[in-house]
Amino acid sequence: LTDDDQQIGAEGSSDPAISADGRYVAFTTDSPLDAADQNFLDDVYVRDRLRGTTTLISSGEGIGDIGPDESVNPTISGDGRVLTTEATGDKPPDPTAPEGDGGRTDVYRVDRGAPDPATGDFVPGATTMQIVSVDTDGGDVSIFDDVGDAAMSGDGTQIAFTVFSGEGPTNVLIRDLGSGAPNTVRLD
């Protein structure tokens, strides 16, 4: 996954997502491409094709680990600033998130912050993370059900995801983070 046909990591990569201008490519790999990646499981990284750098997204930069288990299936906004990832584990790194969910899958939104005006590069340490897989009442939908299949609008403010219910119908929810007051809408 480099511009000179070199493979990054011994294990390869998967789940690619690309920004609108093609500069940033988000992907999943279980190769530890960063010293902070110590879980030996799948993690999400972003490759900056212009700078030739690779950044660990699912851990580090002051956000902690996104779940203690794997992070997979990234999406990326048009400008490369905002990403989503699906993560498993029962340790919610977002202090505003509902309590642990027994190891089920959640969808997280990672905002890398505004880029440096002089360079256009994202500033390390400016990253924030939040859980977006919440129900219409603000509760964690993954307490009883797995979630996944995240899709995101180009500006990163609208995130849709599927709730795979073991005891009822599968539903699509949309989390609106651009209206000033985050809310979740169920599509029935």
Side-chain angles (χ1 to χ4, degrees), residues 46-140:
V46 171
R47 177 77 176 173
D48 181 337
R49 296 178 59 226
L50 178 67
R51 300 280 186 231
T53 58
T54 304
T55 304
L56 176 62
I57 295 298
S58 56
S59 179
E61 290 193 9
I63 63 172
D65 289 331
I66 297 179
D69 295 332
E70 67 179 8
S71 296
V72 296
N73 300 327
T75 64
I76 192 165
S77 62
D79 63 2
R81 174 179 172 165
V82 178
L83 294 96
T84 66
T85 182
E86 299 168 21
T88 57
D90 60 359
K91 181 189 95 184
D94 178 355
T96 64
E99 289 301 315
D101 56 21
R104 296 199 179 268
T105 303
D106 280 302
V107 175
Y108 294 88
R109 178 183 188 263
V110 179
D111 185 340
R112 301 199 296 160
D116 181 311
T119 65
D121 296 336
F122 293 99
V123 180
T127 303
T128 60
M129 184 280 313
Q130 71 185 111
I131 190 169
V132 295
S133 51
V134 297
D135 206 341
T136 54
D137 62 2
D140 183 356

Side-chain angles (χ1 to χ4, degrees), residues 15 22 24 30 33 48 50 52 58 81 85-86 91 106-108 115 124 131 136 143 145 153 155 157 162-163 170 174:
D15 306 328
Y24 302 103
D30 63 356
L33 305 179
D48 181 337
L50 178 67
S58 56
R81 174 179 172 165
T85 182
E86 299 168 21
K91 181 189 95 184
D106 280 302
V107 175
Y108 294 88
I131 190 169
T136 54
I143 289 175
D145 304 311
S153 62
D155 66 359
T157 62
T162 303
V163 179
T170 297
I174 299 175

